[in-house]
Amino acid sequence: MSLLRRASPFLLAPVAIVSLSSCGINQIPAAEENAKARWADVQNEYQRRADLIPNLVATVKGYASHEKDVLTAVTEARAKATAINVKVDNPDSMKQFAEAQGHLSMALGRLMSVREQYPQLQADQNFLALQAQLEGTENRITIARRDYNEAVQQYNTLVRTFPNAIGAKIFYGAKPMTPYEATATNAQAAPTVNFDTPAPATPSNSQN
């Protein structure tokens, strides 16, 4: 009997290791770090967009200085969008950030529509370059948000389901992360920034 008592800790050790593994002791931090990295990508792309806006506003202002309301709206929306400190485990914080970015997208949409009234602006090489960069950034934002939401789904599944939920609570005090919902106030879908250059008018085939 004494031999069994001495051996029991060694026999129980593999069982404990297996139990810890089954509770997500290794998977949870890895999934959390992956989700955080994907969120950093989202923030980087939004910051890239914010960095383009001052030059874009300045270029448009050079041709359409009297479009004061539009220029002011973009500048103010950018300031609000870049001032929010986001916490991914706080749904209210994420909602506030998403709404601010949505309002900025709508303001940008109005700014870009101004170009239709100014042929010289449409031909400006600096404006065309900024437009291309902004369009590429919008595409990267969409991809970054998708990748983040996928990472969050994987992480949340781990911390909410048995037996991983046990390890998440005991060892990490893990909280579910908030997926990114790209919606603006009173909107059901993400606002669209339209960068398509208007097609030139088709010349008439009629003969004089």
Side-chain angles (χ1 to χ4, degrees), residues 113-145:
S113 67
V114 166
R115 66 184 176 178
E116 299 177 12
Q117 306 171 38
Y118 302 93
Q120 289 182 323
L121 175 61
Q122 295 182 45
D124 184 279
Q125 292 302 311
N126 186 44
F127 177 80
L128 293 175
L130 288 167
Q131 176 180 299
Q133 292 178 57
L134 197 54
E135 183 176 24
T137 299
E138 291 290 341
N139 292 335
R140 286 191 291 269
I141 286 172
T142 299
I143 295 171
R145 289 193 312 229

Side-chain angles (χ1 to χ4, degrees), residues 27-70:
Q27 293 175 298
I28 291 170
E32 182 181 21
E33 289 304 314
N34 181 50
K36 287 180 178 179
R38 300 292 73 78
W39 176 245
D41 291 340
V42 173
Q43 290 185 304
N44 287 341
E45 295 305 334
Y46 273 125
Q47 186 60 52
R48 185 196 302 269
R49 180 173 76 166
D51 292 342
L52 289 171
I53 290 174
N55 286 338
L56 183 64
V57 168
T59 302
V60 173
K61 188 176 181 180
Y63 293 93
S65 59
H66 59 282
E67 301 284 353
K68 184 178 179 180
D69 291 343
V70 176

Side-chain angles (χ1 to χ4, degrees), residues 172-190:
Y172 301 109
K175 298 179 181 179
M177 291 185 178
T178 307
Y180 191 97
E181 297 181 6
T183 59
T185 303
N186 299 323
Q188 297 300 317

Side-chain angles (χ1 to χ4, degrees), residues 87-108:
K87 296 180 179 179
V88 294
D89 60 352
N90 186 324
D92 290 337
S93 175
M94 287 290 286
K95 181 180 179 181
Q96 184 182 17
F97 180 80
E99 287 184 348
Q101 295 296 343
H103 288 310
L104 178 53
S105 292
M106 289 188 289
L108 276 171

Side-chain angles (χ1 to χ4, degrees), residues 129-169:
L130 288 167
Q131 176 180 299
Q133 292 178 57
L134 197 54
E135 183 176 24
T137 299
E138 291 290 341
N139 292 335
R140 286 191 291 269
I141 286 172
T142 299
I143 295 171
R145 289 193 312 229
R146 180 201 65 195
D147 292 346
Y148 166 72
N149 282 344
E150 289 177 355
V152 166
Q153 182 180 22
Q154 294 173 2
Y155 171 76
N156 286 349
T157 298
L158 282 174
V159 302
R160 285 172 169 167
T161 56
F162 182 83
N164 296 323
I166 298 174
K169 184 175 182 179

